[in-house]
Amino acid sequence: MACPFFLDLRSLVSETQLRCHSLQDGITPFAACFQKSGLSHCGYKFRDLTVEELKNVNMFFPHFRYSVDTYVFKDSSQKDLLNFTGTVPVMYQGNTYNIPIRLWILDSHPFAPPICFLKPTANMGISVGKHVDAQGRIYLPYLHNWSHPKSVIVGLIKEMIAKFQEELPLYSLPSSDEARQVDLLAYIAKITEGVSDINSKNWVNHEHKTVNKITVVGGGELGIACTLAISAKGIADRLVLLDLSEETKGGVMDLDIFSLPNVEISKDLSASAHSKVVIFTVNSLGSSQSYLDVVQSNVDMFRALVPALGHYSQHGVLLVASQPVEIMTYVTWKLSAFPVNRVIGIGCNLDSQRLQYIITNVLKAQTSGKQVWVIGEQGEDKVPTWGGQEEIMSPNSQVQLSNRAMELLRVKGQRSWSVGLSVADLVDSIVNDKKKVHSVSILAKGYYDINSEVFLSLPCIIGTSGVSEVIQSTVREDTVTEKLQSSASSIHGLQQQLKL
């Protein structure tokens, strides 16, 4: 049941719709009504700033209608939020169109951007394009780069109008389904680069032809290391590095100076469109913050990135290298609404590859084809596990060998360049559908008696569609199960404290 404040606010909103245009008669302005009712009483943290923002919006767009309604987030949580609807004028090919929109104001406004949607009428269809998805959600650079106080709703709406003038987001539905389909194909052909014949059956192949396009998100050391490693392996026909920093500096500047073949540096999220793999390397580093605060900062950053990047590469695989990798992979899965097999964390892939190398090439052990993987949580709680059916080695021998190898492994650091090589290895398996086994972070619910939605590293077969199969050990070790369950419990506890 809505709190009394919202019930009162709804009545204020309704009354205001009739009165907000008559300020010359001494009637209380729209925004003042919100100010009197107290936005902070039901969760709006920055009431005064929000009120000032709405006053400014009302000045530029006095016809917008305001209400308080329940918004359902992707994780199924709900919240009563302020929102407003109306039309914005868009000039397109010499004609003016009134495009209906709806903006939801989050309770952390103005430090978080609004959630923006088209609001088509019954005779309008949504034209999915660079800035609009099939559900009508709007994605703009202004939203991605939102930063108080320089970002304001009026500025956002102005950019929205400018982008809609380039690509009209709605079209009129004709009476017949056949005519509707022709109209849609005509629009898609118009916005698809290089396609002009709307009757061509090959336009789909042009847009989705087999191009190995990879996007690396983040221009820090790890992002550059991934870019260089992927470029060196020759995996990608096109490699996009999204530099999200305000200024181009350091390694990104050097990459720009000494340009690499097929590598594009961009700050526009839409440059990632139709990537086979999108790699997240960004981290929000706190100074004096608690660990929870730092992780929450990462979550807040991902909230702005993941839905947009998922929209641009709806058939790709999302590969997470940001830390803590188990939690950020979970966050990416929740925010993207992708199938769980197409959201993967880099997990213990590097440690597993190193462990196998140490056993075979350093300790010179004869394992007769038996493989060993590092599984669980990155860090001190990771554990080795053996695969294969053969009983060439006794369980005690396996434990002794893996313990010796783990001791050697612990002295190895995880430098950016080594992680970059590991990421390139995973990308190679995905893009080239190698069906190779990697220990990566996946949804562990249902494995090792884990009942919560947490991501842990398990050995998986990786290919074009992401994870196709999880390799389960034929021997259940109690110590391994206990460690994984302990990790799952602590990770789940931290996830419960995060605000997605």
Side-chain angles (χ1 to χ4, degrees):
M1 183 176 178
C3 67
F5 156 68
F6 273 117
L7 295 176
D8 181 53
L9 183 55
R10 284 191 174 102
S11 64
L12 277 172
V13 169
S14 300
E15 181 182 356
T16 303
Q17 300 301 334
L18 301 175
R19 299 169 62 188
C20 65
H21 299 298
S22 304
L23 302 184
Q24 69 274 17
D25 298 328
I27 294 175
T28 305
F30 158 76
C33 291
F34 284 99
Q35 201 161 20
K36 289 198 305 179
S37 59
L39 287 172
S40 60
H41 293 177
C42 275
Y44 275 82
K45 304 176 182 69
F46 310 102
R47 182 199 62 184
D48 293 342
L49 292 174
T50 302
V51 166
E52 289 304 311
E53 178 97 69
L54 293 175
K55 287 169 65 177
N56 192 41
V57 172
N58 191 60
M59 186 185 307
F60 280 86
F61 302 96
H63 62 285
F64 283 165
R65 297 181 62 86
Y66 299 78
S67 63
V68 178
D69 298 286
T70 301
Y71 184 85
V72 180
F73 293 89
K74 283 191 174 182
D75 63 356
S76 299
S77 63
Q78 300 181 12
K79 187 171 286 187
D80 285 333
L81 294 177
L82 286 166
N83 63 94
F84 58 84
T85 59
T87 60
V88 291
V90 173
M91 283 288 297
Y92 186 74
Q93 295 184 350
N95 297 312
T96 300
Y97 298 89
N98 291 318
I99 303 298
I101 60 171
R102 184 176 198 175
L103 271 64
W104 295 84
I105 309 300
L106 293 174
D107 56 6
S108 52
H109 190 85
F111 294 93
I115 300 173
C116 307
F117 282 90
L118 294 170
K119 198 172 184 296
T121 59
N123 64 340
M124 293 180 182
I126 296 171
S127 293
V128 177
K130 191 192 309 188
H131 300 297
V132 179
D133 68 13
Q135 287 71 47
R137 184 160 180 175
I138 299 167
Y139 301 88
L140 297 169
Y142 200 99
L143 288 168
H144 166 63
N145 297 319
W146 185 276
S147 177
H148 177 74
K150 68 179 182 180
S151 300
V152 294
I153 294 176
V154 171
L156 167 64
I157 294 174
K158 288 180 178 179
E159 178 174 288
M160 194 180 295
I161 292 171
K163 295 298 183 183
F164 289 170
Q165 287 177 168
E166 298 171 7
E167 298 178 1
L168 201 62
L170 297 170
Y171 62 94
S172 178
L173 289 174
S175 56
S176 70
D177 290 341
E178 182 178 352
R180 181 185 313 172
Q181 184 70 5
V182 170
D183 198 23
L184 177 59
L185 287 175
Y187 176 77
I188 293 173
K190 185 163 52 186
I191 66 169
T192 302
E193 182 180 342
V195 178
S196 57
D197 180 7
I198 67 171
N199 296 314
S200 171
K201 296 180 181 179
N202 296 320
W203 74 269
V204 174
N205 293 329
H206 173 88
E207 181 66 14
H208 300 288
K209 65 182 180 180
T210 307
V211 173
N212 292 334
K213 182 177 178 181
I214 313 297
T215 293
V216 177
V217 185
E221 286 189 8
L222 179 55
I224 293 169
C226 291
T227 301
L228 291 173
I230 293 168
S231 179
K233 287 180 77 76
I235 306 168
D237 300 318
R238 287 188 62 195
L239 181 55
V240 177
L241 175 61
L242 289 179
D243 176 26
L244 305 179
S245 60
E246 292 187 3
E247 297 179 2
T248 301
K249 54 186 178 181
V252 174
M253 182 179 70
D254 292 337
L255 275 181
D256 211 12
I257 295 171
F258 304 102
S259 56
L260 295 175
N262 303 326
V263 175
E264 172 191 350
I265 300 171
S266 178
K267 292 183 180 293
D268 184 356
L269 297 188
S270 65
S272 68
H274 308 299
S275 292
K276 287 194 172 181
V277 186
V278 178
I279 306 157
F280 293 86
T281 71
V282 286
N283 284 293
S284 177
L285 301 177
S287 52
S288 60
Q289 297 172 304
S290 69
Y291 181 65
L292 178 61
D293 290 335
V294 173
V295 177
Q296 184 63 55
S297 295
N298 263 0
V299 172
D300 294 341
M301 179 170 54
F302 270 49
R303 193 186 297 118
L305 289 172
V306 172
L309 291 167
H311 160 65
Y312 290 128
S313 299
Q314 297 178 23
H315 304 289
V317 173
L318 306 182
L319 181 60
V320 182
S322 303
Q323 297 295 330
V325 68
E326 294 84 12
I327 291 176
M328 297 317 299
T329 308
Y330 166 81
V331 169
T332 302
W333 174 52
K334 284 294 186 182
L335 293 175
S336 67
F338 269 38
V340 70
N341 61 295
R342 291 199 284 117
V343 182
I344 304 170
I346 62 170
C348 296
N349 181 62
L350 175 58
D351 285 329
S352 293
Q353 301 285 356
R354 284 175 166 179
L355 188 66
Q356 291 176 21
Y357 181 88
I358 289 170
I359 288 173
T360 304
N361 297 287
V362 178
L363 299 179
K364 306 293 184 182
Q366 299 298 319
T367 60
S368 299
K370 283 180 74 73
Q371 283 191 295
V372 61
W373 296 284
V374 178
I375 65 172
E377 180 183 5
Q378 266 194 358
E380 293 300 316
D381 291 327
K382 60 194 175 191
V383 290
T385 186
W386 291 81
Q389 302 289 337
E390 304 87 351
E391 295 296 333
I392 302 296
M393 300 175 64
S394 68
N396 285 338
S397 298
Q398 289 183 6
V399 171
Q400 291 175 7
L401 181 58
S402 58
N403 285 345
R404 288 173 62 197
M406 288 294 284
E407 288 176 10
L408 294 173
L409 180 63
R410 286 189 183 96
V411 302
K412 302 289 184 184
Q414 291 212 357
R415 305 278 185 182
S416 293
W417 61 266
S418 56
V419 177
L421 290 171
S422 173
V423 168
D425 180 46
L426 290 169
V427 172
D428 188 23
S429 290
I430 296 169
V431 168
N432 294 312
D433 201 24
K434 287 196 167 182
K435 305 296 184 185
K436 182 179 173 182
V437 179
H438 297 269
S439 181
V440 290
S441 300
I442 62 163
L443 183 64
K445 186 177 181 179
Y447 301 99
Y448 292 91
D449 299 324
I450 295 169
N451 297 316
S452 51
E453 288 188 339
V454 296
F455 280 66
L456 292 171
S457 283
L458 296 174
C460 305
I461 297 176
I462 304 293
T464 303
S465 60
V467 174
S468 59
E469 184 182 345
V470 179
I471 306 298
Q472 300 189 60
S473 175
T474 54
V475 180
R476 288 296 297 270
E477 300 177 56
D478 291 340
T479 53
V480 172
T481 300
E482 288 172 8
K483 278 224 172 186
L484 265 61
Q485 289 182 348
S486 175
S487 291
S489 178
S490 61
I491 290 170
H492 185 254
L494 182 55
Q495 286 175 180
Q496 294 296 98
Q497 300 177 64
L498 296 173
K499 299 173 183 177
L500 290 182

